């Protein structure tokens, strides 16, 4: 082997193979090992057939997405280099060449790099189209930062996790230039606004707003002065910042991108006001008065939140504390909330406002992406070709799986079904185009698992819709247990749904949840909170309040129609007609969205990118094989490898092999045409004929790793060896002999066809004789027919006349019998109606008597109550009088006692004075006597 060949093989061994179909064995272990080698060599992308695997490097790789790489991709004919640009270029070329719509599906778990790959593909499409309107490119790329700020958040798995799915349609005109774009979002995680786990954050935009307010940004300081990371909605995760991310700079970038897509001036100010209002609304707390009714603890705070959200303070106060319930008979009741219920209504309002703000921003971005298109031509955009880029959430299986995981995994199950069908159809269509013999590819179909969710009426989502529609006085927990039992009963014996078993680490029983066997593994779902999360939580008055908001970004564009719908549901200003409206639920809305998405994908040529997370720590140069294996299983790659292994996984275009190995071939062989040259090359190298097939433009190998084996043979000097020369000459002789034999067979077939042509001429001559005979015999046959007709004409007429009379008699008899039967039924019906009316009259009279008796009893009870109340009032008055008299007598007695005591005291004082005076007189007399003596 030459030194250059050894160096080339060593280089390939250090970097792995760019396509997994070139591996010696096509299984999960080999694929993971190849990904490990390429990850260590900073090779991010790897092909698996037409599917691109993208491993997140968690570091910047200089030159990976530069202009030179774009130019190299545009200049490449075969697009064999694995790269996100190659996927975008393949979709662009197929759209431009065939005029068909394309779609690129990017999937993977949180932190795998889906959002980044979506941005890279959109950036390449914007640059590839070379659109004249540069504003279209800028707005297309600016929409992504807006969606990241308002729809992404920090989680335990990813610092920039998309909490929604999105489909970006990029439309192209007849010159293959970008004419417009449209964004569709799926299943925004509203619950993150009011709750997120420890170590996670709310949506980025709130922290950006808080940082701007803290830094004294005029826009934030004026319109959201209370925004702070200490707000209730932001402080729950305990992670106010992200390493390496400047929230203030991100806020300024978000403002710039909003202004670029047309959200500027007063619209931008309203967006900031609403964000601040949502944070202030989260600070509102409630207490209960003596009647147990909720009251806000801080009225000025509620007033500021109402003003920021464009709502009236009194109406917001009333809607957060009460709701109006209309009974089936038209009676209207006002139900007061407790403090906990008012807090739930507050959180529901905050989630609804933020969801409407998010949807309004998506609409604003879509309107801005219609560059250079007037209102009259906006509908014509739908008729143009497009490339749809889908960034969708991956399969999820946590310690506790709830309603959100159910919908996300249902989405992945549905997309996996579409993915397998597309891969199988794509493989078989390629085999048909290349005209090679093949057997039907068998694969494990997961249609039963999809039907478990959406089959009507026993599917899980339809059962949730049914239980959300049925009113009940039971608690939500009891209804959820009923729902769980109903799900188990509806799918008894299903291989895709089982009951959870209570064991260590799992406390759920058959009434608390169920296990679904997905394509990626078994997942246990807890039904606790299903009905609350599935329902549209806003009651009618609160929804009407939101629709009547003065902020356009809260009321949405169709706020008037939504307000009318909310008013009709609540019974305000319009009489009720019949039953209630159909209950709106999150599950059915998401199912309709997903069916529309799958229908869009089915109408396009789909390309797949599977984003992979190499480690859970989001660290560079670390590769966890078990984690990667789990992600490959979650993305359905084992099924793809099985499909490829059952067909022809290794394929290579003739032109590539011809250009590469023609200089090494002998001169007699190099003159051959491409397909014959490849056939001779394989024969010279001794490749068994059962291991490959020659298509029209490509070489197909049965089994994986054949290309590496072929290249190892070609890198050697086998073609120049004497054995190979002899084998080539033998093959050329055999080829010529077979060609001559084929020519002989063609000649024989031509002779047979010539004989058949002569036989056909003889048959034509015989046919002409038959035609001449027919011209003579047909008039004779017609004359004989006329003779027979004249002979039997009388008999035929008589039979027809008798038949006519019998038909008339039968028709008259039938009419008479029908009239008799109708008269009899009429008499019987009249008698029955008379009996029913009499029964109804008696029942009505009975109901009237009962009502009269009830009224009399009620009047008698009321009279007795009035008499009892009067008697009770008299007794109370007499008791009060006796009590007052007793108090007066006691006071008089006390006064008399006090007077007697005072009199006795005065008398004692008088006696003491008299005694003192007498003593004084005696002393004076004694003194006089002493003086006299």
């Amino acid at each position: 082997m030459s030194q250059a060949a050894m160096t080339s093989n060593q280089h390939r061994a250090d970097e792995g193979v760019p396509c997994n179909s070139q591996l010696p064995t096509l299984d999960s272990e080999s694929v993971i090992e190849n990904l490990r080698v390429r990850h260590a060599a900073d090779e991010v992308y790897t092909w698996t057939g037409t599917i691109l695997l993208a491993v997140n490097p968690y570091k910047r790789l200089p030159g990976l997405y530069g202009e030179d790489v774009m130019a190299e991709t545009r200049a490449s004919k075969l697009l064999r280099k694995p790269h996100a640009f190659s996927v975008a270029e393949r979709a662009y070329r197929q759209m431009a060449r065939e005029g068909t719509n394309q779609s690129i599906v990017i999937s993977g778990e949180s932190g795998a790099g889906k959002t980044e790959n979506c941005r890279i593909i959109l950036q390449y499409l914007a640059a590839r189209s070379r659109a004249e309107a540069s504003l279209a490119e800028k707005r297309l790329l600016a929409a992504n930062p807006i969606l990241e700020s308002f729809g992404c958040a920090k989680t335990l798995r990813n610092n920039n996790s998309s909490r929604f799915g999105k489909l970006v349609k990029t439309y192209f005109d007849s010159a293959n230039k970008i004419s417009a774009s449209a964004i569709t979002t799926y299943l925004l995680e509203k619950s993150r606004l009011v709750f997120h786990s420890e170590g996670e954050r709310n949506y980025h935009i709130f922290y950006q707003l808080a940082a701007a307010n803290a830094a004294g940004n005029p826009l934030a300081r004026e319109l959201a002065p209370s925004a702070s990371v200490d707000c209730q909605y932001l402080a729950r995760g305990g992670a106010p910042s992200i390493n390496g991310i400047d929230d203030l700079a991100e806020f300024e970038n978000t403002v710039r991108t909003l202004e670029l897509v047309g959200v500027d001036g007063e619209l931008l100010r309203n967006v900031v006001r609403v964000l601040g209002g949502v944070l202030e609304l989260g600070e509102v707390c409630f207490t209960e008065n003596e009647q147990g009714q909720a009251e806000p603890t801080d009225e000025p705070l509620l007033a500021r939140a109402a003003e920021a959200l464009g709502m009236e303070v009194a109406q917001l106060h009333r809607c957060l504390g009460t709701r109006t319930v209309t009974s089936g008979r038209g009676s209207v009741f006002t139900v007061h909330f407790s403090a906990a219920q008012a807090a739930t209504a507050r959180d529901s309002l905050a989630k609804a406002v933020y969801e409407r703000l998010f949807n309004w921003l998506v609409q604003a971005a879509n309107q801005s992406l219609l560059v250079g298109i007037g209102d009259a031509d906006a509908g014509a955009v739908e008729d143009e070709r497009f490339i749809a880029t889908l960034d969708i959430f991956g399969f999820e299986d946590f310690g506790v799986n709830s309603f959100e995981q159910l919908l996300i995994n249902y989405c992945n199950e549905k997309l996996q079904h579409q993915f397998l069908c597309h891969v199988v159809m794509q493989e078989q269509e390629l085999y048909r185009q290349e005209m090679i013999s093949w057997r039907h590819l068998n694969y494990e179909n997961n249609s039963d698992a999809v039907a478990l969710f959406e089959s009507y009426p026993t599917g899980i989502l339809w059962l949730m819709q049914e239980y959300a529609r049925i009113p009940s006085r039971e608690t939500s927990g009891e209804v959820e247990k009923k729902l769980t039992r109903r799900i188990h009963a509806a799918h008894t014996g299903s291989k895709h749904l089982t009951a959870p078993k209570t064991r260590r680490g799992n406390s759920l029983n058959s009434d608390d949840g169920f296990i679904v066997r997905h394509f990626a593994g078994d997942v246990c779902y807890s039904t606790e909170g299903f009905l609350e999360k599935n329902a549209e939580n806003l009651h009618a008055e609160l929804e009407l309040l939101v629709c009547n908001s003065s902020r356009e970004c809260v009321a949405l564009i169709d706020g008037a129609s939504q307000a009318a719908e909310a008013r009709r549901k609540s019974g305000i200003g319009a009489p009720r007609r019949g039953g209630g409206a159909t209950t709106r639920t999150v599950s059915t809305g998401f199912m309709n969205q997903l069916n529309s998405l799958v229908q869009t994908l089915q109408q396009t040529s789909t390309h797949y990118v599977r984003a992979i997370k190499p480690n859970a720590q989001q660290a560079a140069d670390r590769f966890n094989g078990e984690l990667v294996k789990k992600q490959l299983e979650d993305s359905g790659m084992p099924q793809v490898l099985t499909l490829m292994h059952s067909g022809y996984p290794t394929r290579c275009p003739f032109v590539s092999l011809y250009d590469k190995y023609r200089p090494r071939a002998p001169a007699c062989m190099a003159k051959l045409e491409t397909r014959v040259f490849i056939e001779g090359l394989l024969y010279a190298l001794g490749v068994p004929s059962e291991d490959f097939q020659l298509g029209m433009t490509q070489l197909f190998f049965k089994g994986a790793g054949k290309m590496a084996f072929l290249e190892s043979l070609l890198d050697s000097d086998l073609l120049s060896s004497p054995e190979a020369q002899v084998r080539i000459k033998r093959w050329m002789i055999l080829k010529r002999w077979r060609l001559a034999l084929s020519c002989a067979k063609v000649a024989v077939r031509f002779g047979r066809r010539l004989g058949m042509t002569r036989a056909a001429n003889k048959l034509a001559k015989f046919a002409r004789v038959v035609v001449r005979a027919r011209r003579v015999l047909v008039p004779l046959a017609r004359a004989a027919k006329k003779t027979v007709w004249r002979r039997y004409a009388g008999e035929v007429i008589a039979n027809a006349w008798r038949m006519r009379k019998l038909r008339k008699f039968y028709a008259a008899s039938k009419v008479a019998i029908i009239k008799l039967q109708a008269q009899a039924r009429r008499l019987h019906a009249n008698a029955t109606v008379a009996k029913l009316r009499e029964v109804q009259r008696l029942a009505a009279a009975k109901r009237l008597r009962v009502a009269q008796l009830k009224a009399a009893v009620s009047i008698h009870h009321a009279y007795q109550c009035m008499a009892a109340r009067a008697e009770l009032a008299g007794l109370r008055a007499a008791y009060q009088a006796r009590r007052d008299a007793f108090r007066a007598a006691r006071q008089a007695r006390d006064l008399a006692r006090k007077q007697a005591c005072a009199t006795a005291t005065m008398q004692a004082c008088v006696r003491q004075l008299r005694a003192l005076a007498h003593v004084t007189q005696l002393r004076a007399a004694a003194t006089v006597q002493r003086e006299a003596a």
Side-chain angles (χ1 to χ4, degrees):
M1 186 179 297
S2 64
Q3 183 66 28
M6 293 178 62
T7 305
S8 177
N9 287 340
Q10 182 65 31
H11 179 71
R12 287 194 297 269
D14 293 341
E15 297 184 358
V17 294
C19 183
N20 288 320
S21 61
Q22 300 176 6
L23 294 171
T25 56
L26 192 59
D27 54 16
S28 297
E29 288 73 16
S30 301
V31 171
I32 294 173
E33 183 59 29
N34 187 43
L35 293 178
R36 185 195 306 275
V37 172
R38 292 183 63 79
H39 179 263
D42 290 340
E43 294 291 339
V44 177
Y45 299 102
T46 307
W47 289 116
T48 300
T50 58
I51 303 167
L52 184 68
L53 302 182
V55 181
N56 195 338
Y58 292 121
K59 63 181 180 181
R60 295 189 178 276
L61 299 177
L64 184 59
Y65 305 108
E67 293 290 338
D68 54 340
V69 180
M70 287 188 180
E72 180 184 354
T73 303
R74 285 195 294 268
S76 176
K77 295 182 179 180
L78 301 178
L79 296 175
R80 299 186 63 182
K81 180 181 179 180
H83 201 285
F85 291 165
S86 300
V87 176
E89 178 66 20
R90 181 176 296 172
Y92 182 83
R93 289 183 185 180
Q94 192 169 351
M95 179 206 67
R97 182 176 62 251
E98 301 176 3
T100 57
N101 297 327
Q102 308 292 311
S103 59
I104 302 173
V105 179
I106 306 172
S107 62
E109 74 170 43
S110 179
K114 302 186 299 296
T115 304
E116 184 67 16
N117 280 284
C118 181
R119 183 188 64 80
I120 291 168
I121 289 176
L122 292 177
Q123 180 182 358
Y124 181 84
L125 291 176
R128 181 65 174 85
S129 67
R130 300 180 182 273
E132 295 179 0
S134 60
L135 186 59
E137 300 177 11
K138 293 181 180 179
R139 288 181 174 177
L140 175 61
L141 299 178
N144 197 59
I146 296 174
L147 296 179
E148 287 187 11
S149 295
F150 286 85
C152 295
K154 178 186 182 299
T155 64
L156 297 178
R157 297 185 174 187
N158 185 11
N159 290 338
N160 190 34
S161 175
S162 296
R163 310 315 299 165
F164 67 101
K166 69 174 179 291
L167 178 70
V168 182
K169 283 186 176 180
T170 307
Y171 292 91
F172 296 83
D173 57 17
S174 58
N176 299 326
K177 309 291 180 61
I178 292 181
S179 60
S181 294
I183 302 172
T184 305
T185 59
Y186 302 93
L187 198 65
L188 177 68
E189 187 185 16
K190 298 184 292 183
S191 60
R192 175 165 294 271
L193 182 69
V194 300
F195 175 78
H196 44 276
S197 302
E198 186 70 24
E200 296 187 348
R201 298 208 318 176
N202 209 318
Y203 291 105
H204 294 326
I205 185 62
F206 292 110
Y207 300 93
Q208 297 173 9
L209 181 63
N213 186 30
N217 182 278
L219 186 64
R221 181 60 61 88
E222 176 188 357
L223 304 177
S226 301
S228 169
V229 293
D230 297 327
C231 294
Q232 291 293 328
Y233 284 165
L234 305 185
R236 292 177 179 175
S241 62
I242 303 176
N243 294 333
I245 300 298
D246 185 357
D247 287 325
L248 176 60
E250 293 295 328
F251 177 79
E252 296 173 351
N253 182 50
T254 302
V255 171
R256 285 194 299 270
T257 53
L258 285 172
E259 292 174 345
L260 184 60
V261 299
V263 182
D264 52 5
E266 191 62 26
L267 293 178
L268 178 60
R269 295 171 64 86
N270 285 339
V271 169
V272 178
R273 286 192 184 100
V274 171
L275 292 173
V278 170
L279 293 179
E280 289 184 331
L281 186 63
E283 298 297 306
V284 177
C285 298
F286 298 90
T287 58
E288 295 183 359
N289 56 20
E290 297 178 355
Q291 290 77 25
Q293 300 173 359
E295 293 290 342
T297 58
D298 192 344
E299 292 283 355
L301 179 61
L302 183 64
R304 291 198 302 270
E307 193 279 332
L309 298 178
M311 303 174 183
E312 296 184 7
V313 181
Q315 292 185 2
L316 180 60
H317 185 284
R318 176 177 58 83
C319 292
L320 290 179
T322 62
R323 66 174 298 182
T324 302
V325 178
T326 305
S327 67
R329 297 183 178 180
S331 302
V332 180
F333 304 93
T334 299
V335 179
H336 293 271
F337 291 159
S338 64
Q341 291 172 334
T344 301
R346 173 205 64 198
D347 292 342
S348 300
L349 175 61
K351 291 188 289 187
V353 167
Y354 189 75
E355 182 186 27
R356 286 167 173 263
L357 173 63
F358 183 80
N359 294 335
W360 181 84
L361 289 173
V362 173
Q363 291 182 8
N366 287 336
Q367 289 296 324
S368 71
L369 291 174
L370 298 175
V371 179
I373 297 177
D375 295 337
D377 299 332
V381 174
E382 295 295 332
D383 298 331
E384 293 184 351
R385 301 163 301 164
F386 64 82
I387 297 178
T389 306
L390 176 64
D391 177 4
I392 203 68
F393 16 67
F395 189 84
E396 292 186 354
D397 183 10
F398 302 139
V400 178
N401 299 289
S402 188
F403 178 72
E404 294 84 2
Q405 283 71 44
L406 181 75
L407 293 187
I408 288 174
N409 292 342
Y410 157 64
C411 172
N412 280 269
E413 195 77 50
K414 183 92 172 177
L415 293 178
Q416 175 69 7
H417 179 262
Q418 193 272 339
F419 168 65
L420 290 177
C421 293
H422 174 79
V423 170
V424 172
M425 186 170 57
Q426 189 180 45
E427 284 290 307
Q428 296 182 155
E429 182 62 26
L430 177 62
Y431 296 163
R432 291 192 192 97
Q433 292 177 357
E434 294 293 330
M435 299 179 66
I436 65 174
S437 59
W438 53 278
R439 293 181 301 172
H440 181 74
L441 299 178
N442 297 318
Y443 64 99
E444 185 178 354
N445 197 334
N446 66 334
S447 57
D448 292 341
V450 176
L452 177 70
F453 288 91
E454 62 183 19
S455 62
Y456 183 83
T458 59
I460 295 176
L461 301 182
W462 288 110
L463 290 177
M464 292 170 59
Q465 167 79 2
E466 176 184 345
Y467 275 79
R469 186 173 62 247
I470 298 176
S472 176
R473 295 184 178 180
E474 299 175 335
T475 62
S476 59
E478 295 173 347
V479 178
E480 286 163 357
K481 289 183 180 295
K482 284 187 175 181
L483 169 64
T484 308
R485 290 193 290 268
R486 179 73 176 87
I487 290 174
H488 286 298
H491 300 283
T492 302
S494 173
K495 66 178 182 179
H496 292 283
L497 188 139
T498 57
K501 297 180 181 180
T502 304
R503 59 182 183 272
R504 186 175 63 181
N506 179 25
S507 59
L508 296 179
N509 54 39
S510 59
D511 289 346
D512 299 329
F514 52 87
I515 296 176
V516 176
R517 180 165 296 173
H518 292 282
F519 70 93
D522 296 350
V523 180
C524 182
Y525 297 100
S526 171
T527 54
E528 182 180 358
F530 262 34
L531 296 181
E532 180 182 354
K533 294 178 180 179
N534 187 38
E536 293 287 350
N537 293 327
L538 290 183
H539 58 80
E541 291 87 353
L542 204 54
E543 185 173 358
L544 183 63
L545 178 65
V546 174
C547 294
N548 289 331
S549 171
S550 61
R551 309 294 183 215
E552 180 184 350
C553 55
V554 175
L556 288 177
I557 298 175
D558 55 346
S561 61
Q562 292 186 0
E565 176 66 15
R567 188 179 296 109
R568 186 188 65 79
K569 287 172 54 182
S570 61
I572 301 175
R576 291 177 61 88
R577 296 184 180 181
T582 302
T583 304
R584 296 183 303 171
T585 59
V586 177
S587 59
T588 51
F590 181 69
M591 181 170 57
N592 294 333
Q593 266 194 324
L594 186 58
N595 288 331
S596 176
L597 170 63
V598 171
Q599 185 178 3
T600 300
L601 295 179
Q602 290 174 347
Q603 295 172 354
T604 61
S605 297
T606 313
H607 311 266
Y608 291 94
V609 178
R610 294 293 193 242
I612 297 175
K613 187 176 182 180
N615 59 79
Q617 295 77 24
Q618 304 182 33
D621 301 325
R622 289 187 184 180
F623 192 91
N624 187 336
E626 292 298 327
L627 179 62
V628 173
K629 182 178 181 181
K630 180 64 171 57
Q631 293 176 78
L632 291 177
E633 293 174 351
D634 292 350
S635 63
M637 290 306 298
Q639 292 88 333
V640 175
L641 297 178
T642 302
L643 284 174
M644 294 179 63
H645 190 72
S646 62
Y648 294 89
T650 305
R651 67 284 309 264
C652 182
F654 290 156
V655 178
S656 176
L657 293 174
Y658 184 77
D659 294 340
K660 186 174 183 180
Y661 301 113
R662 181 189 174 190
R664 304 184 186 181
C668 58
M669 186 177 175
K671 298 178 181 179
L672 300 175
E673 63 176 1
T674 307
R675 190 174 186 276
V676 180
F677 173 83
I678 301 300
E679 183 181 357
L681 181 67
L682 297 174
Y683 183 85
L685 296 175
V687 180
S689 59
E690 62 270 10
D691 288 349
F692 69 91
Q693 283 202 52
L694 294 175
M696 300 303 295
T697 61
Q698 297 186 58
L699 170 64
F700 293 83
F701 279 105
K702 183 73 173 179
K706 297 296 183 180
M707 280 303 302
F709 170 72
L710 181 62
E711 289 185 1
S712 65
L713 293 178
L714 292 170
D715 288 339
S716 64
D717 297 331
L718 290 178
L719 286 179
S720 59
S721 64
E723 295 81 2
Q725 298 288 340
V726 173
R727 197 179 295 114
I728 291 173
K729 292 180 180 179
R730 184 189 305 157
W731 174 80
M732 295 186 66
I733 293 172
L734 288 174
K735 187 69 177 178
R736 291 169 182 170
W737 180 80
R738 288 172 183 169
L739 182 61
L741 184 61
S742 299
C743 293
K745 290 180 178 180
V746 170
V748 172
R749 290 175 183 173
F750 178 75
R752 291 176 181 174
R753 180 166 295 182
L754 183 60
M756 293 174 64
T757 304
R758 291 173 180 173
N761 293 335
K762 291 181 180 180
L763 287 174
K765 185 176 181 180
F766 176 74
R768 286 193 294 270
V769 173
V770 171
V771 169
R772 292 193 188 98
R774 183 177 179 276
R775 290 175 182 173
V776 176
L777 295 176
V778 167
L780 297 177
R782 289 176 178 173
K785 185 177 179 180
K786 288 181 180 179
T787 302
V788 172
W789 174 253
R790 290 192 187 99
R791 182 178 298 176
Y792 296 103
E795 183 179 353
V796 171
I797 293 172
N799 291 336
W801 177 255
R802 285 193 295 271
M803 187 179 297
R804 183 171 178 272
K805 290 179 65 177
L806 289 174
R807 285 178 177 173
K808 285 185 176 181
F809 177 75
Y810 171 75
S813 302
K814 184 177 180 181
V815 170
I817 292 172
I818 291 173
K819 288 182 178 179
L820 289 174
Q821 290 176 347
Q823 186 65 22
R825 293 192 186 99
R826 187 180 298 109
L827 294 175
H828 179 70
N830 290 336
T832 304
V833 169
K835 290 180 181 179
L836 292 176
R837 287 177 177 173
E838 181 64 20
V839 171
Q840 291 179 353
R841 186 184 66 77
L842 294 176
K846 184 177 179 180
R847 288 195 298 271
L848 180 61
R849 288 196 299 273
V850 171
Q852 291 174 351
L853 289 175
K854 289 183 178 180
V857 171
S858 300
I859 294 172
H860 179 66
H861 288 170
Y863 176 75
Q864 289 180 344
C865 290
M866 292 175 59
R869 288 175 181 172
E871 184 178 357
L872 180 61
L875 292 175
R876 287 178 177 174
Y879 171 75
Q880 187 67 28
R882 288 196 299 272
R883 188 175 180 181
D884 294 342
F886 175 75
R887 288 179 179 175
R890 186 172 63 183
Q891 291 176 356
R893 185 170 63 250
D894 294 341
L895 181 61
R897 288 178 180 175
K898 291 179 180 179
Q899 291 177 353
C901 290
T903 302
T905 303
M906 291 179 63
Q907 289 177 357
C909 291
V910 169
R911 284 194 295 270
Q912 289 179 359
L913 292 174
R914 288 178 180 176
L916 289 174
H918 180 66
V919 170
T920 303
Q921 291 177 2
L922 291 178
R923 289 178 178 176
T927 303
V928 171
Q929 290 178 1
R930 283 195 301 270
E931 291 177 354

